[in-house]
Amino acid sequence: MNGSNKNKVIKIHPVHNVLVALADLLQDEVVANENVSYKLVKPIPAKHKFFVQDLNQGDEIKMYGVTVGKVTTLAVKTGEQMTVHKVKHAAELYNYKNLYGIQTNFPIILMN
């Protein structure tokens, strides 16, 4: 990995199977995260996501430590952009108080 890839992508949570582009990325560009390289299938605009592994129809898409969608096409390839044409929303139940191991005490607000 060379220094030119630094800060071009970010992985928000360890279980993600997508990365977020922090800059516009080019078709066939190779970017790296956590010592793994990914060759992009098409250009990826900044703030958009791309898959870091091949997935099949029905496979779950993980972001923020939870399932946020499922693949709707027959398959998606590593380096391919995540779009609404390839996925559908699917929410997973989670315990927001312990999602990141943070203990919180939310105030109780009573409304009259």
Side-chain angles (χ1 to χ4, degrees):
M1 175 174 81
N2 64 39
S4 65
N5 287 325
K6 189 173 182 176
N7 299 325
K8 285 192 171 185
V9 297
I10 188 170
K11 187 176 195 178
I12 306 294
H13 190 277
V15 300
H16 279 190
N17 49 14
V18 295
L19 289 177
V20 180
L22 298 176
D24 291 340
L25 305 174
L26 304 174
Q27 181 174 340
D28 296 326
E29 184 172 353
V30 177
V31 295
N33 180 265
E34 299 175 351
N35 296 317
V36 179
S37 296
Y38 307 97
K39 184 176 180 181
L40 303 175
V41 176
K42 292 189 176 184
I44 309 290
K47 302 179 187 174
H48 288 245
K49 297 161 193 71
F50 65 91
F51 297 100
V52 297
Q53 66 187 83
D54 292 350
L55 296 171
N56 296 310
Q57 189 174 36
D59 286 349
E60 295 179 341
I61 299 159
K62 299 282 190 177
M63 292 175 27
Y64 315 108
V66 296
T67 299
V68 297
K70 291 189 177 185
V71 176
T72 57
T73 57
L74 289 179
V76 294
K77 298 292 181 196
T78 301
E80 196 173 325
Q81 184 177 359
M82 186 175 85
T83 68
V84 297
H85 305 291
K86 298 173 188 163
V87 303
K88 69 174 180 178
H89 178 266
E92 176 182 332
L93 295 176
Y94 66 94
N95 181 345
Y96 65 88
K97 290 184 180 180
N98 294 315
L99 182 60
Y100 297 106
I102 299 169
Q103 296 296 322
T104 57
N105 292 314
F106 294 103
I108 297 172
I109 300 172
L110 301 175
M111 306 283 284
N112 291 358

